[in-house]
Amino acid sequence: MGATLMALTSVLLSAAIAAMISSKYTVKNPIFIDNTTITTYGAHGDFTLSLKYVTLLLVFLFAFACHALSIRFINRFNHLIIFINTHSADSSAIVECMADLLERGFAFNIHRVRKGVAEMSGVDAGEVRVVVSPYRICPLGAHIDHQGGTVAAMTINKGILLGFVPSGDGQGIIGFICGSDDLDSSGLSSSAAVGISYLLALESANKLTMTPTENIELDRVIENEYLGVRNGILDQSAILLSSHGCLTRMNCKGILQPDQARRAEHYFSENRRVIEGLNAWASGDLQEFGRLISASGLSSIQNYECGCEPLIQLYEVLMKAPGVLGARFSGAGFRGCCIAFVDADLVTDATTFVKHEYQKLQPKLSSQLKNGMAVLICEAGDSAHII
């Protein structure tokens, strides 16, 4: 997009300069026909000349607007998220139920959500409120949030929609919930997104004011004590604190007691990568940011010893794909997906390469993926909010 606008700017400027040069005089030389002097105006007359200069000014203003837009879009990049159904036999029943809920095919569509709640509750669709609770990715900071490290996270423009109206008793809600259409949300903290959506809806229905910090702790209780997921507060914090286009830094204070030298190496090196990554992001150095992401992925595999064979193979394929600036697991790495930061101009090439190469490595698993959903292109999202 940015390259196109820059090219358009150059063309417009060139056309404007050409128009100015061609309008350097006002009246053509007289023509004599049968002793009659005919002075030709038309394209080079006073009125047309004035019109050309006005047009020239407008062209320059439009070119400047295009240039301003190109600056806004030139540094944007896409994320490739590659999904794998590596469900292990010992997955908890609750997590499986959550996955089933997200795979029912509801479209990520606010109008449909409002309509669904209106039909259930008998109220006008305009009275229905909707919680937008996004999924999160963690480019840097693998497995160090629960060890008191510093992590970097952001939300994406996919996630949970929960439409609701207060119930008749004034305490609960009548609601309709759905996830992004045709999206396996493994590795994207879907359970945290669901929990936060219900918290925000219930608080709104009961006119309660809770801080993000309070909701982070409440959702931690939901995850740890109700769902039985032994995780930290990274997922909830990213969902509630992220801003569009920004990389969120979180310092998860705690005490490190490494059992092995390699895991200690991952801990300290990953903390360092997060700090370096934040600096690279702030300076617009996406090449360095991508390199750090890839280094994080490799350290997760070699030093922290996490990941399953299908995801490790996918990571290795991504590292060879055209346009990939960096890649790593999204989440713990034992199931779910990988993320890749990709040059926007090479997204199609990268997608084709990954699908083709991964098919050769995992033909059976690849055949189980939903058609067209093995690779998902998305952008950075915003924090959870009610609209």
Side-chain angles (χ1 to χ4, degrees):
M1 182 67 176
T4 302
L5 289 171
M6 288 295 288
L8 178 60
T9 300
S10 299
V11 171
L12 290 172
L13 287 173
S14 298
I17 293 172
M20 182 176 65
I21 293 174
S22 66
S23 301
K24 64 183 180 180
Y25 55 90
T26 60
V27 182
K28 287 186 176 180
N29 293 329
I31 300 176
F32 298 91
I33 302 177
D34 295 332
N35 297 322
T36 302
T37 302
I38 301 175
T39 303
T40 304
Y41 289 88
H44 297 274
D46 292 332
F47 172 78
T48 304
L49 181 64
S50 300
L51 182 61
K52 281 189 174 183
Y53 276 108
V54 171
T55 303
L56 178 63
L57 176 61
L58 293 175
V59 167
F60 269 104
L61 290 175
F62 183 71
F64 177 80
C66 289
H67 180 70
L69 286 173
S70 71
I71 293 174
R72 177 181 177 183
F73 288 110
I74 196 70
N75 289 323
R76 297 189 65 174
F77 54 91
N78 289 325
H79 317 303
L80 285 182
I81 301 186
I82 296 81
F83 295 89
I84 305 176
N85 286 317
T86 54
H87 298 280
S88 59
D90 59 350
S91 297
S92 68
I94 293 177
V95 174
E96 291 297 333
C97 289
M98 188 68 69
D100 290 339
L101 173 65
L102 295 172
E103 291 175 353
R104 290 183 182 179
F106 293 119
F108 196 78
N109 186 292
I110 293 176
H111 174 72
R112 288 180 58 187
V113 170
R114 284 194 165 122
K115 182 179 178 181
V117 176
E119 292 175 351
M120 290 188 297
S121 63
V123 303
D124 185 85
E127 299 179 32
V128 177
R129 307 200 72 187
V130 180
V131 179
V132 180
S133 188
Y135 299 142
R136 72 99 186 99
I137 59 174
C138 183
L140 291 167
H143 292 292
I144 62 173
D145 58 311
H146 47 76
Q147 300 293 335
T150 301
V151 299
M154 64 172 63
T155 54
I156 61 174
N157 59 342
K158 309 290 181 183
I160 298 296
L161 286 180
L162 171 59
F164 70 95
V165 293
S167 60
D169 59 12
Q171 294 182 338
I173 60 171
I174 299 173
F176 179 94
I177 190 169
C178 67
S180 294
D181 197 24
D182 293 328
L183 173 60
D184 183 342
S185 54
S186 299
L188 301 177
S189 301
S190 57
S191 61
V194 170
I196 288 171
S197 68
Y198 277 108
L199 285 173
L200 295 182
L202 289 168
E203 290 161 9
S204 175
N206 290 280
K207 297 181 173 57
L208 299 176
T209 301
M210 308 293 286
T211 66
T213 301
E214 291 171 324
N215 277 326
I216 288 169
E217 175 59 20
L218 287 172
D219 193 66
R220 185 199 63 78
V221 173
I222 294 173
E223 296 265 322
N224 295 169
E225 300 181 17
Y226 181 72
L227 296 179
V229 180
R230 307 309 299 172
N231 57 5
I233 61 171
L234 167 63
D235 303 342
Q236 306 92 320
S237 300
I239 293 170
L240 285 165
L241 300 175
S242 293
S243 297
H244 180 265
C246 296
L247 188 65
T248 303
R249 171 187 175 181
M250 287 177 280
N251 185 6
C252 306
K253 295 180 180 179
I255 300 175
L256 174 65
Q257 296 178 340
D259 297 326
Q260 301 178 8
R262 284 187 298 176
R263 295 194 179 185
E265 167 62 24
H266 173 78
Y267 173 84
F268 292 110
S269 64
E270 189 71 355
N271 271 279
R272 184 172 61 252
R273 280 188 289 270
V274 171
I275 300 302
E276 293 174 357
L278 291 166
N279 293 332
W281 180 277
S283 63
D285 189 351
L286 298 185
Q287 292 288 340
E288 175 64 10
F289 186 72
R291 186 193 68 78
L292 291 166
I293 293 174
S294 298
S296 172
L298 185 62
S299 180
S300 295
I301 296 170
Q302 294 182 343
N303 295 328
Y304 208 80
E305 300 175 282
C306 69
C308 57
E309 182 184 55
L311 278 178
I312 292 174
Q313 289 176 334
L314 180 55
Y315 166 81
E316 292 170 347
V317 169
L318 286 168
M319 292 304 299
K320 301 174 184 177
V324 171
L325 304 179
R328 56 152 294 186
F329 305 145
S330 180
F334 299 107
R335 64 187 291 256
C337 64
C338 283
I339 61 170
F341 281 56
V342 184
D343 185 331
D345 294 332
L346 296 174
V347 166
T348 301
D349 293 340
T351 300
T352 302
F353 180 88
V354 171
K355 288 181 178 179
H356 182 265
E357 294 299 316
Y358 196 70
Q359 170 70 30
K360 293 189 294 186
L361 294 171
Q362 291 284 345
K364 182 178 179 179
L365 185 58
S366 297
S367 67
Q368 298 172 359
L369 298 175
K370 294 179 181 179
N371 186 32
M373 294 305 298
V375 178
L376 177 68
I377 302 171
C378 58
E379 300 176 356
D382 211 336
S383 59
H385 58 283
I386 297 177
I387 54 176

